[in-house]
Amino acid sequence: VQLQASGGGLVQAGDSLRLACVASGGTFSRYAMAWFRQAPGKEREFVAQIGRNGRVSSGDSVKGQFTISRDNTKKTVYLQMNSLKPEDTAVYYCAAKDTILTDTRVFTSQSELPYWGRGTLVTVSS
């Protein structure tokens, strides 16, 4: 499966932004979809995941601020980011893993997800 993330840009602190990741190839509805981010000089960090059954999980740093969702008809996963802060500045990546319907695991390590998009840059100015 190929993943293409979009929606990044330069925004001011307090603004909102919605990222999208479109998948091609494979069967999108079978995939757990996740967002990670990597800030300059830091390791890649788990942001959020939505399972093929719609179950969502978020990283502690974005709980209550970011929301992940998916539209299987559009083969797209979204990340709604609200009240953005300068520390949210990072390259945001979407990732995917083929799973079974009853799989409730949360894949917080990038090594657990085999498919990755190229990332989209989000810059939040103060």
Side-chain angles (χ1 to χ4, degrees):
V1 61
Q2 291 78 45
L3 304 173
Q4 180 64 54
S6 63
L10 173 62
V11 298
Q12 293 187 331
D15 285 351
S16 296
L17 206 57
R18 188 176 79 156
L19 305 182
C21 174
V22 180
S24 59
T27 304
F28 181 77
S29 60
R30 293 179 54 88
Y31 294 106
M33 301 298 299
W35 287 96
F36 283 69
R37 67 183 181 184
Q38 188 164 17
K42 295 189 176 181
E43 293 188 353
R44 198 166 293 188
E45 173 190 25
F46 170 75
V47 173
Q49 174 181 307
I50 184 165
R52 59 179 287 183
N53 56 7
R55 181 187 177 109
V56 300
S57 300
S58 299
D60 289 340
S61 62
V62 303
K63 271 190 171 69
Q65 183 189 1
F66 292 3
T67 303
I68 189 171
S69 61
R70 66 189 296 160
D71 185 337
N72 288 347
T73 64
K74 296 181 179 179
K75 298 185 178 182
T76 302
V77 61
Y78 302 98
L79 185 68
Q80 177 66 43
M81 306 186 295
N82 297 328
S83 303
L84 284 162
K85 311 166 191 173
E87 51 263 43
D88 295 317
T89 294
V91 178
Y92 285 74
Y93 298 90
C94 60
K97 181 179 176 66
D98 194 352
T99 61
I100 61 174
L101 188 60
T102 54
D103 194 339
T104 59
R105 291 178 294 169
V106 180
F107 306 106
T108 59
S109 171
Q110 57 178 323
S111 63
E112 298 178 285
L113 295 128
Y115 305 112
W116 289 82
R118 285 194 173 186
T120 185
L121 175 62
V122 174
T123 303
V124 185
S125 65
S126 57

